[in-house]
Amino acid sequence: MNKRNISPGGSEIVSYDDEQSDGTRVLQPPPGWRQGLEQHLLYHLGDFQAYHEIVSDLIHLDLAIFEPSAERPYYTGITMGVSDAPLNVPPDLRDYRHQELMIYLPPSWGVDFEAGGERTWWPFRMLKKLGRFLHQHDTFFAPGHTVTGDDADPFI
């Protein structure tokens, strides 16, 4: 059940308790959807390293990581899989029903996850957690939405 509260500034705060996943199903995208997403990323951002999820819950959520370049002097991480199934959005926000999430990191960050461990992996773990959150809680992100970590699974 979702709990609704109001912040000191007057904004609505929604806390999510229930998850939509039973841990046994993975939503499947329409045929050709994932290939279209990969082609879109290649066309707009260039070559990337794909990190494929081995075990999936609710959605198959991979990551595309782009190396820093002259045009984009930072690492770019993008989810691949959040958009596989439409999100639950209000009618006036239909443009937000298929989303992927993105993060920029400084070129000094590095993405050698074996050597760097959690110190380098945590922003990508956060992306995956937030991407799965949308489907687990049948919700969406839009400009102005904020999300906090929790004590049980902090981002840092």
Side-chain angles (χ1 to χ4, degrees):
M1 172 138 235
N2 298 347
K3 296 181 251 176
R4 298 185 182 275
N5 299 305
I6 302 298
S7 74
S11 298
E12 181 180 28
I13 300 171
V14 180
S15 299
Y16 294 91
D17 293 332
D18 297 339
E19 291 188 7
Q20 301 299 318
S21 174
D22 62 5
T24 61
R25 66 185 175 106
V26 177
L27 300 172
Q28 297 298 314
W33 183 270
R34 184 59 70 94
Q35 294 81 3
L37 172 61
E38 290 179 10
Q39 288 301 311
H40 177 82
L41 294 175
L42 281 168
Y43 178 79
H44 289 284
L45 300 171
D47 290 330
F48 60 89
Q49 175 68 45
Y51 291 84
H52 295 284
E53 197 167 65
I54 296 170
V55 177
S56 301
D57 178 29
L58 196 55
I59 58 173
H60 181 81
L61 189 51
D62 298 329
L63 288 173
I65 299 180
F66 299 81
E67 296 280 332
S69 67
E71 299 83 31
R72 265 184 344 277
Y74 33 77
Y75 282 99
T76 304
I78 300 177
T79 58
M80 294 189 304
V82 178
S83 67
D84 285 357
L87 300 172
N88 181 19
V89 301
D92 61 325
L93 294 176
R94 288 184 47 81
D95 290 345
Y96 291 96
R97 70 184 182 269
H98 290 281
Q99 301 179 9
E100 294 297 343
L101 307 178
M102 182 168 72
I103 191 168
Y104 292 133
L105 294 167
S108 61
W109 193 267
V111 292
D112 184 349
F113 301 130
E114 286 187 32
E118 183 63 8
R119 184 180 54 77
T120 57
W121 174 245
W122 75 264
F124 303 101
R125 179 172 51 84
M126 178 183 68
L127 269 187
K128 290 180 66 114
K129 182 176 179 175
L130 292 173
R132 191 162 273 112
F133 173 93
L134 296 171
H135 291 286
Q136 288 170 330
H137 299 290
D138 198 26
T139 191
F140 69 103
F141 291 144
H145 285 179
T146 58
V147 179
T148 62
D150 57 41
D151 292 339
D153 193 13
F155 292 138
I156 300 177

